[in-house]
Amino acid sequence: MSAIPTLRLSLGPVLFYWTRERYADFYREAADWPVEIIHLGESVCSRRRDMKLDDWLGIGRELIQSGKQVVLSSLNLIESEADLRDLRKLCDNGEFLVEANDQSALQRLSAAGLTFVAGAALNLYNPATLAVLSRLGMQRWQAPVEMSRVDLVRLLDDCRQQGLDAPCEVFAYGHLPLAWSSRCFTARRYQKPKDRCQFVCQKHPEGLALRSQESQQVFTLNGIQTLSGACQDLRHEVSDMAEMGVNVARLSPRPTGMAEVVEAFDAARRGELPSPDPLSLVDAEVCDGYWHARPGMDHSRATPPE
């Protein structure tokens, strides 16, 4: 297989609630990984305040010294005036590009004439919307996580016909972020009110498994966020992604085994996937159903039941 030099790798923001020490250790290691872009910041719950904006900026400055492009990710759900104040500080940081994950961030960034990344939660499905955001300063956009390969090919073709060339990013590895709620599922699991949750989600650095009666992990609960039970794994699709015109493959951080995940995707974009290739990179079920226009929890390379 030939190398795929045009496809870059990015680390998405950590979706789970880790300790300050775990964040510091993780990004210290990530500085040496073969990823070009690293997203920082809290994108899930505004109550997770162990890390302040200045802490993220400090980590970002260190990563810049290692040659990484740093992007600050905004919250997906703004619920209060305090959230808006923090969002304004984030957007006005003056150093790093910001990923807009809701309309509040989009309005703030575009009104200030700042360039930005458009996150998957903005649900960008058509070239007309992408054209508007490009005029407002969008530098890159992430396809919705449930968008299939066929639909993305069609959308990218339509964009090219209209002269739109904003780079496209695809969520290639990790628990798929599916929904956000004003309720906190983890606090409810521990019978605590949301505003006095005692940060119990920190006990679950990769979320709470929600299983079916058949013991299949259907979803992962992460505070106010619902994610897929299985990890999306598109490393076998990176060659096809590059040919389609996808520019960036996003890898969502996990607390263990992430160095191996990055190494596997880096090998895949260089055309060096091992054979035989292990089905799962780490101890988790994998899926790629959405990419193949099937139920999201499906996996195209799974061995069919006898």
Side-chain angles (χ1 to χ4, degrees), residues 30-237:
D32 296 324
W33 294 345
V35 295
E36 289 76 30
I37 305 165
I38 296 182
H39 293 72
L40 301 175
E42 178 56 52
S43 65
V44 178
C45 178
S46 61
R47 286 185 54 77
R48 299 174 178 178
R49 296 185 180 130
D50 283 11
M51 295 288 288
K52 309 295 185 183
L53 177 58
D54 285 344
D55 297 319
W56 293 120
L57 293 176
I59 291 175
R61 293 173 191 128
E62 293 177 2
L63 291 171
I64 287 289
Q65 296 301 314
S66 298
K68 311 299 184 186
Q69 179 188 0
V70 173
V71 179
L72 299 178
S73 294
S74 73
L75 283 172
N76 287 272
L77 183 62
I78 300 294
E79 299 184 80
S80 67
E81 181 59 38
D83 292 350
L84 282 173
R85 287 196 298 270
D86 290 341
L87 176 64
R88 294 183 194 110
K89 293 178 183 177
L90 182 79
C91 294
D92 300 341
N93 74 87
E95 294 185 59
F96 301 119
L97 194 66
V98 172
E99 177 181 57
N101 285 313
D102 89 318
Q103 294 297 323
S104 302
L106 186 59
Q107 191 279 332
R108 179 72 181 184
L109 293 162
S110 59
L114 298 171
T115 56
F116 58 90
V117 174
L122 293 180
N123 293 320
L124 304 177
Y125 286 98
N126 63 78
T129 302
L130 290 169
V132 170
L133 296 187
S134 292
R135 291 194 295 271
L136 292 176
M138 181 181 72
Q139 285 198 349
R140 185 172 76 251
W141 63 283
Q142 187 185 355
V145 297
E146 71 274 19
M147 180 173 280
S148 70
R149 175 197 178 280
V150 172
D151 288 339
L152 184 56
V153 166
R154 186 180 301 115
L155 177 54
L156 292 174
D157 285 345
D158 289 344
C159 287
R160 281 189 284 269
Q161 291 175 14
Q162 297 187 27
L164 300 175
D165 58 358
C168 173
E169 182 172 10
V170 166
F171 189 103
Y173 187 86
H175 293 284
L176 293 161
L178 302 174
W180 296 263
S181 169
S182 59
R183 293 176 179 265
C184 177
F185 305 112
T186 310
R188 186 164 183 168
R189 161 67 175 77
Y190 284 89
Q191 299 181 335
K192 298 180 183 299
K194 179 181 176 182
D195 58 352
R196 296 192 299 276
C197 65
Q198 298 179 11
F199 307 107
V200 290
C201 56
Q202 205 164 53
K203 297 180 180 180
H204 304 279
E206 200 167 10
L208 275 166
L210 182 63
R211 300 185 183 278
S212 67
Q213 291 183 338
E214 294 76 25
S215 298
Q216 180 182 11
Q217 184 174 342
V218 182
F219 297 112
T220 300
L221 302 182
N222 172 39
I224 67 170
Q225 184 182 53
T226 301
L227 305 105
S228 62
C231 282
Q232 172 134 292
D233 183 358
L234 298 182
R235 84 197 110 125
H236 292 277
E237 314 298 334

